[in-house]
Each structure stands twice: as C-alpha cells, then as structure tokens.
Amino acid sequence: ADGHGVWCGIRAGAVLTRPGATMTAAADHVTLVPYDEWWLGTFYGTDLERPFDVYVDIALPSVWHRDDLVRAVDLDLDVIRGTTGRVWVDDEDEFAEHRVSLAYPDRVVEGAVSSCTRVETAVRSGEPPFDPMTSQDWLAGFRRELAGRG
C-alpha cells in the first residue's frame, strides 16, 4: 500500500472471474484499489502479451471486507491507455443504457461521470498513479516477490 491505495499483483495465467465472465490474465499486472475513489486501476508492464498499458474501471468506491476481499460495483465506463499510447473512454453506450434500465441514482451518475473525466485527464497527462513509474515500481516488486518464492 502507498498513498494512492492498495496494490495487488496478478500473475500471467491467473484465472479472473466476475459475474457472467471468466478470463485468464494474459500478462503480469498490478491492480490499484484506491482509497475512497470511484475507480479501480489495472496497470501492465511491457510484456508483448499485455492487452493494454492502463485499464481503469469507473466504479463505486471499493469496500474491504477482510484483508483479502474487496468489492466494488463497476459502473461500465472505462478509461483505457492502449499499447500504442492512445487514450479513450470505453462503454459510454453501456453506461447510458444502464443508467436508465438499472435506474442509477443521480448521485451515482454524477460521481461516475466526474470520476471518468478526472481519470481520463490524469491518464492523458501521466499524473501519478497513472504515470509509468509508479505502477512499474509496484509491478517490479511483485515480480521480485514471485521470483523469491521459487
């Protein structure tokens, strides 16, 4: 953990699940669970197999239930920096659809849109923790820990 939140390492090949989907991690990466923010960030290294450089899910602030269980409600919007450096917001159509079909309260819509705008600006400008240095230090530490386990 640092001033940005709690960093969790995920190794390539790990099985990741959420309701309705199961996938396998294509590359080692770290996920940042920030303190009291409306997002979760996933940061990849330079592995050729990485799907993105940065993938940020806009979500309700995370809640820790134990030292190893965190829950967050994904609000569809994603801020992505691809492997070419291009930054974009994804799934705006799903957010628009779900805000009506799931009756998102106004405060949730306002929080999600505001967070998405702030995160997109921070990713584009490389502000910590969205700068390459911060996440790569955590990813390198995670890999050292894995190597130490043999």
Side-chain angles (χ1 to χ4, degrees), residues 44-116:
Y44 295 88
T46 57
D47 298 357
L48 295 177
E49 299 81 20
R50 73 190 187 282
F52 309 101
D53 284 348
V54 176
Y55 193 101
V56 183
D57 289 292
I58 303 302
L60 291 176
S62 301
V63 176
W64 286 91
H65 293 276
R66 303 186 308 247
D67 288 344
D68 64 348
L69 176 63
V70 65
R71 293 179 191 234
V73 176
D74 187 340
L75 296 172
D76 306 309
L77 296 170
D78 304 300
V79 178
I80 301 167
R81 183 171 60 228
T83 58
T84 64
R86 183 173 78 93
V87 176
W88 71 95
V89 175
D90 200 24
D91 294 334
E92 292 173 293
D93 55 336
E94 287 182 32
F95 179 74
E97 178 186 323
H98 289 157
R99 79 182 278 187
V100 173
S101 67
L102 299 174
Y104 289 168
D106 289 343
R107 91 170 179 81
V108 169
V109 172
E110 291 164 10
V113 170
S114 174
S115 179
C116 188

Side-chain angles (χ1 to χ4, degrees), residues 127-147:
E127 295 173 29
F130 304 105
D131 63 310
M133 201 70 137
T134 302
S135 62
Q136 295 315 295
D137 286 348
W138 282 100
L139 183 57
F142 171 61
R143 287 178 168 158
R144 280 192 304 274
E145 185 177 320
L146 286 176

